[in-house]
Amino acid sequence: MKPHKNKTFATLLAAVLGGIGAHRFYLYGRTDRWAWLHVVLFPFSIFAGFIAALMLGLTPDEKWDEQHNRESGKTSNSGWPLILLLVLTFGGGATALIAAIARTFDLLFTGGAYG
């Protein structure tokens, strides 16, 4: 019998530590090649972590259980904590993306006037 994988916890890992692939290690173990790619490409993987958090969190509970909890004997029941986490993840990801775009334009057009 396999352990039950919690969707809210996987989403939290992707939102907070997605840049190093913590959510992939939680879901698939140490042998997952995509998780190790997150570790190697850490600075670029931060945005991938935000996207992965949204994808994991928006997966319906039935599909989640079919993919990750087929042999656990339990069913998932996501609630308000997951919704709040998704809202915060979306806001944080949008803020990070806007900041990255602004910094890129600053470097390209002014030569880095703000630092």
Side-chain angles (χ1 to χ4, degrees):
M1 184 171 239
K2 289 187 175 182
H4 184 77
K5 304 289 184 178
N6 188 323
K7 184 168 84 167
T8 304
F9 184 64
T11 303
L12 178 67
L13 284 176
V16 177
L17 299 172
I20 58 171
H23 60 291
R24 303 263 331 171
F25 287 119
Y26 171 68
L27 293 174
Y28 304 108
R30 290 183 176 168
T31 59
D32 185 39
R33 291 180 179 163
W34 288 106
W36 288 107
L37 187 64
H38 278 285
V39 173
V40 171
L41 300 174
F42 170 67
F44 304 107
S45 296
I46 294 172
F47 292 113
F50 285 123
I51 293 170
L54 293 173
M55 288 174 49
L56 291 174
L58 292 173
T59 303
D61 286 342
E62 296 81 21
K63 186 175 179 183
W64 174 265
D65 287 336
E66 182 181 318
Q67 286 179 339
H68 301 288
N69 295 323
R70 186 174 296 138
E71 298 173 9
S72 74
K74 297 180 182 178
T75 59
S76 297
N77 187 15
S78 303
W80 282 103
L82 179 64
I83 301 299
L84 295 174
L85 181 60
L86 286 173
V87 169
L88 292 173
T89 299
F90 187 77
T95 302
L97 181 62
I98 291 169
I101 292 170
R103 182 64 179 152
T104 300
F105 283 141
D106 174 46
L107 291 172
L108 288 174
F109 296 120
T110 66
Y114 295 115

